[in-house]
Amino acid sequence: MADRSKAEVVLRLFGVNLEQQGRGFYIPLEMLAIARGVYLAHQEDPEQFAGLLDNGAGTAYKRTSHDLARRIATKARIVEGDEELGKAVELDSPETMETLHALFSSLLVEIPGRRSQPSWFGAHIYPFVGELIHYDAVERRVKQIDAKKSAKKRKQATKVAVGINAPSIERYLFRDGGSWAYKVLRADPDPDRKEAARQGLRDLVQDSGTPLGNLAKALSAHDFDYDEAPVEGSDTGIELYEELSPWPDLLREGTCNIVTRIATVPRAKRTESLMHWVPYCLARHQLHLARTKLGATNRESILLDFGNEATPLRRESQKNLAGFRNDIVKAINVQARVMIGEAEGDEGKKRRYERFTKEGGTAVASPRAFFSETLAAVGALNATAGRRHFTMKPPMLEALVSATVAQDAEMEFDKFCTLLYERYGLVMEDKVAAASPLAYEVDPSVLDHNGKAFREKLAAIGLLTQYSDATSMVRGEPR
């Protein structure tokens, strides 16, 4: 496991190292990479390696870098040269490379707020099929001495000159959020739900056998870096804090509802919902633990704005967000002071923890940004910068409904809104707001208008049906 000494306070408070670099979609990308790797390792040797979501002390998984496909997608230099590239791609016509570039560049995960085109190792392929799922990678200098370490290193040394930067499978943008999510799923105490999630997740990470999947698999056979054998991962440093937060179990329930819709929802749509649901749960888990550390006794209420113009509701939602970001900083400050007290005579530890007691600075800014930028990435905020408020953009809203309403079930709209408040603390219409402290902050007529806008959003994405008797029913998947 990576050295966490610089983030001990954050790790102790949240149970996992939550940093801005590992925000948003990197969480489910890491989780799916682990799940895919576990599946591949188990397929290779079922007796030696645990199966998908099997609980135990460690997790062995085989990593795929997809460094060739990602370099083609971003038009990065292929350091192996045309001779090696020609073994994977037909170079007689330039149209081949252009076609592959157009295909794989269209499959790259969009990271909201990114201001420039990333290097190939900062670009990840959307895991629409199992063969596209891959682990993190970065560039490392090839050293002569490395060629003596293994057969793989000797093979790599024949492809490039010494001193060249070449792909290396390792953590770069992944920061254990996905490890946390995978541990949550494999530690599910409900055996029936866990088995259902296992079957659904297997359908997402196994080979699809589709033309796209076959192409991805063929290219990955020519990656510069690859795992000769599964690696032993460890999540022993990750704490779930289930006794303090409802979100690990909400993640399990929602994930099970999403991935088990095999017969009714296409694989790509299930994957998209999972890509939004998992980060949302971790960000909300972070907020809940922060507020618990500060002594909050009531679950946080979040005011969702579905309107198209500035209203008192929007201003309250903006205050809502600012308050929660402050709660995260204050909780880190409190945790740091506790750990300084525990350090006693260890001056080195005290100095390390001291920087987490300040309200400004990068020590607290990064975990705080993890919360808001993760929500912005998945569409639970209106924007990545500027004046922001809570909302739900269509993909996030689809994920929320899919996670909440069981397969083949439907629910009356008012009951659905009540359930969103009771389960997640979400407030969007006047009847629900009456039960929340927010009822005193926003006029009921404004909330009533917002509730109608929410209903229209659900209808627009095909998840709400309005009947002639004025009944509105919400479903977990479009009819």
Side-chain angles (χ1 to χ4, degrees):
M1 182 169 284
D3 175 24
R4 302 176 185 278
S5 62
K6 294 181 180 178
E8 288 170 327
V9 175
V10 175
L11 181 62
R12 175 89 168 267
L13 177 58
F14 302 120
V16 59
N17 191 11
L18 303 179
E19 301 291 343
Q20 180 180 8
Q21 191 171 9
R23 67 196 182 279
F25 293 125
Y26 297 123
I27 301 160
L29 286 171
E30 181 184 12
M31 187 196 81
L32 288 170
I34 293 171
R36 166 76 174 175
V38 169
Y39 171 80
L40 292 176
H42 183 70
Q43 290 288 103
E44 191 174 280
D45 191 342
E47 293 186 5
Q48 182 178 355
F49 301 114
L52 196 59
L53 298 188
D54 285 352
N55 210 354
T59 301
Y61 49 93
K62 198 165 187 178
R63 302 168 301 178
T64 301
S65 69
H66 264 319
D67 61 64
L68 180 56
R70 291 199 272 167
R71 285 182 286 166
I72 290 173
T74 56
K75 292 191 173 181
R77 179 188 176 198
I78 309 297
V79 294
E80 301 93 310
D82 286 349
E83 184 177 344
E84 283 294 328
L85 181 60
K87 297 175 183 178
V89 178
E90 178 59 62
L91 297 178
D92 290 346
S93 169
E95 291 181 2
T96 303
M97 284 294 286
E98 284 300 320
T99 300
L100 289 174
H101 164 70
L103 172 61
F104 284 104
S105 63
S106 71
L107 296 174
L108 295 180
V109 178
E110 290 188 24
I111 305 300
R114 183 180 273 166
R115 292 181 175 84
S116 60
Q117 173 69 28
S119 303
W120 71 265
F121 48 84
H124 292 69
I125 299 171
Y126 211 99
F128 286 119
V129 294
E131 296 93 332
L132 287 173
I133 296 172
H134 61 86
Y135 198 73
D136 215 355
V138 73
E139 286 190 341
R140 294 294 180 205
R141 192 170 298 279
V142 177
K143 301 176 182 176
Q144 188 72 49
I145 194 172
D146 290 340
K148 301 177 181 179
K149 293 181 179 179
S150 67
K152 183 183 82 170
K153 292 294 184 181
R154 285 194 295 274
K155 181 180 177 182
Q156 289 176 334
T158 65
K159 294 182 179 182
V160 297
V162 174
I164 291 289
N165 286 337
S168 173
I169 301 178
E170 56 186 89
R171 291 196 335 164
Y172 172 61
L173 289 166
F174 293 173
R175 284 291 181 269
D176 271 354
S179 294
W180 174 86
Y182 188 79
K183 184 172 184 176
V184 167
L185 295 178
R186 74 184 183 92
D188 192 345
D190 184 333
D192 293 335
R193 181 174 63 186
K194 182 176 177 178
E195 182 57 31
R198 187 202 316 274
Q199 297 295 338
L201 196 57
R202 179 183 290 119
D203 186 70
L204 295 182
V205 303
Q206 68 185 358
D207 286 356
S208 65
T210 60
L212 176 60
N214 292 337
L215 173 61
K217 197 169 185 178
L219 284 179
S220 70
H222 298 274
D223 284 339
F224 183 85
D225 200 16
Y226 52 90
D227 279 339
E228 294 177 289
V231 298
E232 287 289 341
S234 175
D235 52 24
T236 53
I238 294 175
E239 297 291 340
L240 303 185
Y241 292 145
E242 295 187 71
E243 72 283 5
L244 300 176
S245 168
W247 283 96
D249 208 57
L250 291 173
L251 170 64
R252 293 173 185 136
E253 185 68 22
T255 297
C256 185
N257 282 338
I258 288 169
V259 301
T260 52
R261 299 179 192 274
I262 296 174
T264 54
V265 178
R267 179 190 284 110
K269 181 57 70 175
R270 279 176 278 137
T271 299
E272 184 180 30
S273 291
L274 201 61
M275 287 281 287
H276 288 76
W277 177 245
V278 173
Y280 182 79
C281 289
L282 181 50
R284 291 293 307 273
H285 179 64
Q286 178 191 19
L287 174 61
H288 191 90
L289 290 176
R291 285 171 48 79
T292 299
K293 190 68 181 179
L294 295 176
T297 55
N298 60 320
R299 184 183 294 192
E300 59 275 6
S301 292
I302 290 181
L303 193 56
L304 301 182
D305 176 18
F306 289 98
N308 296 319
E309 56 189 22
T311 64
L313 184 151
R314 178 165 298 180
R315 289 193 292 273
E316 198 60 36
S317 185
Q318 290 167 348
K319 287 169 55 181
N320 210 199
L321 174 61
F324 290 152
R325 280 165 53 86
N326 287 336
D327 286 343
I328 289 170
V329 171
K330 290 175 183 176
I332 294 172
N333 298 158
V334 170
Q335 183 65 55
R337 286 192 284 271
V338 169
M339 293 172 70
I340 287 173
E342 294 172 349
E344 296 180 347
D346 193 329
E347 295 303 319
K349 278 189 176 181
K350 287 184 177 181
R351 283 194 298 273
R352 246 188 352 255
Y353 302 154
E354 182 68 31
R355 63 200 187 97
F356 287 95
T357 62
K358 300 176 175 63
E359 292 190 5
T362 56
V364 294
S366 184
R368 178 182 59 195
F370 173 89
F371 171 73
S372 50
E373 291 191 24
T374 291
L375 292 183
V378 301
L381 295 182
N382 64 307
T384 57
R387 295 188 64 80
R388 295 180 290 180
H389 58 267
F390 290 106
T391 187
M392 287 275 175
K393 295 181 180 178
M396 184 64 231
L397 190 52
E398 289 178 355
L400 178 72
V401 176
S402 184
T404 306
V405 182
Q407 186 176 6
D408 297 325
E410 58 182 6
M411 189 179 300
E412 202 277 323
F413 176 74
D414 287 341
K415 183 178 178 182
F416 176 68
C417 291
T418 300
L419 182 61
L420 291 184
Y421 175 67
E422 292 175 348
R423 190 174 289 183
Y424 313 126
L426 300 177
V427 178
M428 73 293 293
E429 51 104 45
D430 56 329
K431 298 183 185 67
V432 169
S436 165
L438 296 172
Y440 305 101
E441 308 296 338
V442 183
D443 188 272
S445 63
V446 176
L447 282 161
D448 179 59
H449 182 75
N450 193 61
K452 291 176 181 176
F454 175 53
R455 187 196 304 259
E456 291 169 2
K457 289 266 188 185
L458 288 172
I461 57 178
L463 297 177
L464 179 139
T465 304
Q466 297 181 336
Y467 294 96
S468 56
D469 62 354
T471 303
S472 299
M473 302 300 292
V474 180
R475 292 177 56 84
E477 63 275 327
R479 285 190 179 278

